Amino acid sequence: MTIRQAMVLAAGLGTRMRPITNTIPKPLVKIGEKPMIDYALDSLVEAGVERAAVNVHHFADQMEAHLKSYPGLDILVSDEREALMDSGGGLAKGLKLLGREPVFVMNADLFWIGEPPGQPSNLRRLAGFFDAERMDMALLCVRIKDTTGHNGKNDFSLGSDGRLTRYRDDPSNPVVYAGAIVMRPALLDDAPEEAFNLNIYFDKAIARGRLFGMMMEGHWLTVGTPDAIDDAEETIRRFRTFA
C-alpha cells in the first residue's frame, strides 16, 4: 500500500534547545547542513506521499516560508499560532485538512539515517505492515542501542505478534517509539477540541489490543539540546563514511 498523505507535528516551542530556539523554530535547526524537518519531509516524499499537513506555532512565519519553498510536496499549514494543541490536539486538528485514507504521522525533530540501500524504506515497510482490520496504529520502533541523543528510556515492549504494550507493564522486549505512525484519520474522530497528548490514544489502542509496532532499519537520532548537535552530526558523518 502506498500512503499519499501525512501529518507532521512541528509546532513545539523547543525550550530545551534554547538559546538557539530564541530566534528560530526547532524544526529549522540544521543538523548535517539540513533542517531537521527536511529529514522527515524527504522520507515522506520517498515513500510516495503527495500531500502533508504541518502544524506551526513557534516562529510560525519562518516555518511557513520554509514549507512554501520545499519542492515536490503539497504542504498544508495547520495554524496553531493562537494556542498550542499538544501532540494529540495538533494531530486531530491537522487531520481535518486531509482525506480519510490512511495517513503517516511524523515528528519534525526525530529522524533516522543508514537505511539499507536497495531495500524498501522504513516508511514504505511501515505502510505495508499496517493492517486496518487488526490495528488502530502501527508505530515505527527502534532499539536503544540504535539511537543517538535518546534519554535512555524505553517506551513499549514489542510482542512476538507485533502488539505493543507499555514497557512499565512488560519489560520483556523493550523498544523506543521512533516518531512515525500509520493510522486511519477516523481513529481521532472522537478527539476533544482542546489540547491533549497523543499518549491517550496509544493507551486506548493498547487496551483494545490494537497498537502494533515494526522495527526500523538504520540509526535513529533525536536532538533535544544544543549540546546534542555535535553528537548527531558526528553520527551522520560516521554513517556517510561507511555508506
Side-chain angles (χ1 to χ4, degrees):
M1 175 173 59
T2 298
I3 295 176
R4 304 196 183 278
Q5 61 175 3
M7 173 72 197
V8 181
L9 300 172
L13 295 172
T15 54
R16 294 173 58 232
M17 282 291 284
R18 291 173 179 163
I20 296 174
T21 49
N22 287 338
T23 57
I24 187 174
K26 184 180 178 184
L28 296 189
V29 175
K30 289 187 177 181
I31 308 297
E33 301 181 354
K34 180 192 291 191
M36 275 193 273
I37 192 172
D38 285 8
Y39 287 92
L41 298 177
D42 290 352
S43 294
L44 291 169
V45 171
E46 188 284 331
V49 169
E50 298 171 354
R51 171 171 290 187
V54 182
N55 62 348
V56 300
H57 173 83
H58 188 53
F59 291 109
D61 291 348
Q62 290 186 41
M63 286 293 298
E64 286 201 82
H66 180 77
L67 295 171
K68 286 179 181 177
S69 69
Y70 185 86
L73 193 60
D74 180 15
I75 297 179
L76 308 173
V77 171
S78 182
D79 194 333
E80 294 183 23
R81 282 178 173 86
E82 292 187 3
L84 276 170
M85 299 295 292
D86 204 347
S87 56
L91 174 58
K93 181 176 180 178
L95 288 177
K96 294 176 182 178
L97 301 175
L98 301 172
R100 303 294 285 174
E101 64 270 19
V103 59
F104 286 117
V105 181
M106 294 191 69
N107 287 44
D109 57 353
L110 310 172
F111 59 97
W112 54 85
I113 57 174
E115 292 171 298
Q119 301 296 320
S121 67
N122 285 318
L123 291 186
R124 289 185 182 274
R125 291 173 54 238
L126 190 64
F129 174 77
F130 178 65
D131 178 0
E133 295 299 316
R134 297 188 301 131
M135 305 174 189
D136 286 344
M137 299 180 182
L139 276 57
L140 194 64
C141 299
V142 62
R143 306 285 183 196
I144 282 181
K145 67 180 180 64
D146 296 320
T147 71
T148 293
H150 186 54
N151 61 16
K153 296 179 180 179
N154 289 294
D155 299 313
F156 300 101
S157 182
L158 181 62
S160 59
D161 60 356
R163 284 185 172 87
L164 292 171
T165 53
R166 289 291 182 184
Y167 174 71
R168 63 176 178 265
D169 300 322
D170 175 14
S172 60
N173 188 20
V175 296
V176 173
Y177 165 51
I181 304 170
V182 174
M183 56 173 281
R184 287 191 181 276
L187 182 65
L188 266 67
D189 282 354
D190 64 350
E193 293 295 325
E194 66 271 11
F196 69 93
N197 193 289
L198 188 56
N199 274 295
I200 292 172
Y201 279 83
F202 289 164
D203 287 336
K204 286 182 178 181
I206 288 172
R208 291 191 289 259
R210 293 178 59 86
L211 189 70
F212 281 72
M214 186 201 79
M215 299 305 299
M216 59 160 276
E217 300 284 348
H219 192 89
W220 184 77
L221 299 97
T222 177
V223 187
T225 65
D227 291 343
I229 293 175
D230 287 345
D231 289 341
E233 293 188 332
E234 175 57 32
T235 300
I236 291 170
R237 283 192 293 269
R238 187 171 71 249
F239 271 80
R240 286 174 177 171
T241 298
F242 292 102

